[in-house]
Amino acid sequence: MYFVSTRDSKTKVSASEAILQGLAPDGGLFVPSSIPEIDIEKAPHFSDIPKLAHFILAPYFEGDLLEDELYEMCCDAFNFPVPLHLYNDREAVLELYWGPTAAFKDFGARFLAASLERILSKKGGRLTILVATSGDTGGAVAAAFHNREHIDVKVLFPEGRVSSRQQSQLTCYQNNIEAYAVAGSFDDCQKMVKDAFVDKELAAREGLTSANSINLGRLLPQMVYAFSSSLQMYQTTGEKPVMIIPSGNVGNACASYWAMTMGAPIQKITLALNSNRTILDYLENGSYRGRASVATLANAMDVGDPSNMERLFHLYDDYESFSKMVSAACVDDETIKKTIERVYRDHDYIICPHTATGEYVRETGAIDSPTIVYSTAHPAKFETIVEPIVGLPVEIPPSLKQLLLKEQHYKRVNCDYRSIF
Ligand SMILES: *Cc1c(COP(=O)(O)O)cnc(C)c1O
């Protein structure tokens, strides 16, 4: 098995090369050269996530440097539960937030960290991961890479512009993680990262790399819960479920499309979007145009030009097949609030603003099949939005509570990238 660039099928690399490189040399994204089909009758039970993960991911690591360590990597990365919360037999919420930072990005970040640590211990060398964050990504990356060997992490966040819970999650580490509060905006943080990468001498000396969601190592593990949850629903109802996925950069959805192509028992996938409507516009008028993002209550989905669209366009490479396979709906902020309230009233269940976009799509989609809505974050991460709506404090999950109690460590810096080296 090898991976090719979305822009040039002659660029062929192994899984570990793709993970190490991040972006392909031509600026494209790595995708599997072909998607293997697997026999789900032979799959391990849906509740044994590390075993199931190994079964699904093994074809992608055949002949790879990491082949023999894949099971150990799966145990390392998938060390928390992924439960389906059932409203009834046919309507479920997939809780993707029981990892250390209470959002689904823990899966990708932990698998990437498990991969990179092992690749470097085999090939030698040292890397510095540079990550600019508007809140959540930096926390997941810091947690996943904390105390990993051969890797340092520098996290840049805009001072005073992340929530206090987010700041605690970014600054609670020491050793190989350094947090920087930048006197500027998120865009300034991103510019510092770009400038550092452009400084070739520095980039080479520090072994700079990124851990953003275009890295294959973050995408592959996200197939696993598409399998585990659809298998569970299929085995209990005898019907294939429709998966409803709150989407921003479309990494989560892309991995689920790969899982469906491999043979996961999925009827259909629907993207739930906030007011960033680029994908819906494309479905409605057939021409793709990225735009500037708009700020919404579901802020981790505020993406105007989703980077993983390039992978979806590679999978469904003309408008006809794309529009046959992909459907989407937009949900505005007012509706997000009403949906949080309705779900609490109907099911005595509290959801985050991102998950609310998915619940609204389920409510209004007139879907005959069983449905699974991906819950991408724990509501306690968005307590300032959720608590006034449901009228009570949201209990903080234990892993997150632990992080919030730790002492903060960070340096305050100006917007010049040289101030962090
Ligand atoms: C990142 C994120 C999303 C969007 O996921 P993509 O893979 O970028 O589509 C949705 N919800 C939450 C809570 C997130 O952190």
Side-chain angles (χ1 to χ4, degrees):
M1 166 63 84
Y2 54 87
F3 294 82
V4 295
S5 165
T6 44
R7 299 188 189 171
D8 180 6
S9 58
K10 289 196 285 295
T11 310
K12 294 179 186 173
V13 298
S14 66
S16 48
E17 261 312 308
I19 291 169
L20 196 56
Q21 287 184 26
L23 204 63
D26 58 12
L29 308 187
F30 286 115
V31 293
S33 56
S34 67
I35 300 202
E37 274 184 47
I38 57 166
D39 182 357
I40 53 160
E41 302 295 326
K42 299 207 178 98
H45 194 261
F46 58 75
S47 61
D48 190 339
I49 299 289
K51 268 214 184 106
L52 183 65
H54 182 256
F55 178 77
I56 294 157
L57 298 177
Y60 298 95
F61 286 87
E62 213 176 287
D64 189 88
L65 186 69
L66 296 174
E67 183 173 16
D68 293 340
E69 287 167 74
L70 182 61
Y71 181 64
E72 195 189 289
M73 282 160 53
C74 291
C75 294
D76 177 340
F78 299 98
N79 68 345
F80 50 89
V82 200
L84 261 190
H85 176 89
L86 296 163
Y87 293 153
N88 53 54
D89 291 353
R90 301 168 60 81
E91 291 180 303
V93 181
L94 179 61
E95 296 180 345
L96 297 172
Y97 51 66
W98 294 108
T101 71
F104 84 91
K105 288 188 175 72
D106 285 326
F107 289 96
R110 289 186 63 79
F111 190 80
L112 178 65
S115 309
L116 278 178
E117 182 177 49
R118 287 172 177 81
I119 293 169
L120 292 170
S121 78
K122 291 191 177 227
K123 295 182 80 146
R126 200 171 173 82
L127 290 180
T128 301
I129 290 176
L130 204 52
V131 53
T133 187
S134 56
D136 278 345
T137 302
V141 169
F145 284 86
H146 185 222
N147 285 338
R148 297 266 177 189
E149 288 185 49
H150 319 295
I151 304 165
D152 297 308
V153 177
K154 291 179 187 288
V155 184
L156 285 76
F157 65 93
E159 181 157 27
R161 303 200 199 185
V162 300
S163 76
S164 77
R165 282 189 189 169
Q166 281 173 330
Q167 175 157 333
S168 306
Q169 289 181 67
L170 294 168
T171 57
C172 65
Y173 304 100
Q174 283 176 286
N175 302 335
N176 66 328
I177 313 286
E178 287 183 272
Y180 298 92
V182 174
S185 64
F186 172 56
D187 291 337
D188 293 322
C189 298
Q190 273 192 311
K191 179 155 188 309
M192 289 169 75
V193 171
K194 282 199 187 121
D195 289 348
F197 279 103
V198 169
D199 184 338
K200 292 285 176 229
E201 193 250 301
L202 174 95
R205 189 183 68 225
E206 300 281 332
L208 290 190
T209 188
S210 82
N212 61 19
S213 69
I214 49 124
N215 192 301
L216 185 76
R218 285 189 49 178
L219 221 59
L220 290 175
Q222 295 176 4
M223 288 193 280
V224 173
Y225 47 77
F227 266 95
S228 66
S229 61
S230 61
L231 270 173
Q232 181 175 349
M233 189 58 102
Y234 183 56
Q235 286 173 5
T236 49
T237 63
E239 286 176 73
K240 296 181 177 180
V242 170
M243 315 299 259
I244 302 168
I245 308 182
S247 294
N249 244 331
V250 203
N252 222 0
C254 181
S256 291
Y257 278 106
W258 287 355
M260 181 165 77
T261 311
M262 285 183 82
I266 294 172
Q267 180 69 33
K268 186 176 178 255
I269 294 169
T270 295
L271 312 188
L273 309 171
N274 58 22
S275 294
N276 288 277
R277 45 180 300 127
T278 306
I279 300 170
L280 188 61
D281 284 346
Y282 172 66
L283 285 168
E284 285 175 354
N285 63 36
S287 77
Y288 181 81
R289 206 163 49 90
R291 11 165 119 226
S293 64
V294 296
T296 75
L297 292 177
N299 64 6
M301 292 157 51
D302 292 348
V303 182
D305 191 3
S307 38
N308 280 298
M309 282 300 278
E310 187 160 338
R311 285 189 167 115
L312 269 194
F313 284 140
H314 190 265
L315 188 63
Y316 304 123
D317 59 3
D318 58 70
Y319 176 71
E320 204 189 323
S321 52
F322 188 96
S323 56
K324 200 172 116 207
M325 298 304 293
V326 180
S327 68
C330 285
V331 183
D332 64 29
D333 278 357
E334 225 18 70
T335 310
I336 286 174
K337 286 194 211 159
K338 284 195 184 125
T339 305
I340 293 172
E341 206 253 318
R342 177 190 63 81
V343 168
Y344 180 57
R345 188 167 16 91
D346 289 356
H347 302 292
D348 195 19
Y349 185 70
I350 302 176
I351 55 172
C352 85
H354 310 82
T355 308
T357 64
E359 284 289 1
Y360 184 72
V361 170
R362 164 152 60 198
E363 182 190 354
T364 53
I367 303 168
D368 290 330
S369 307
T371 45
I372 295 176
V373 170
Y374 284 16
S375 183
T376 50
H378 193 286
K381 290 190 90 165
F382 301 92
E383 83 286 5
T384 54
I385 299 166
V386 173
E387 289 179 353
I389 298 174
V390 300
L392 78 172
V394 182
E395 199 178 325
I396 305 174
S399 59
L400 195 56
K401 204 180 260 171
Q402 225 181 329
L403 297 189
L404 300 182
L405 292 172
K406 291 191 180 161
E407 199 182 321
Q408 299 196 6
H409 302 273
Y410 62 94
K411 290 193 190 119
R412 302 175 65 194
V413 294
N414 62 24
C415 292
D416 184 343
Y417 75 95
R418 281 164 296 214
S419 58
I420 62 169
F421 292 98

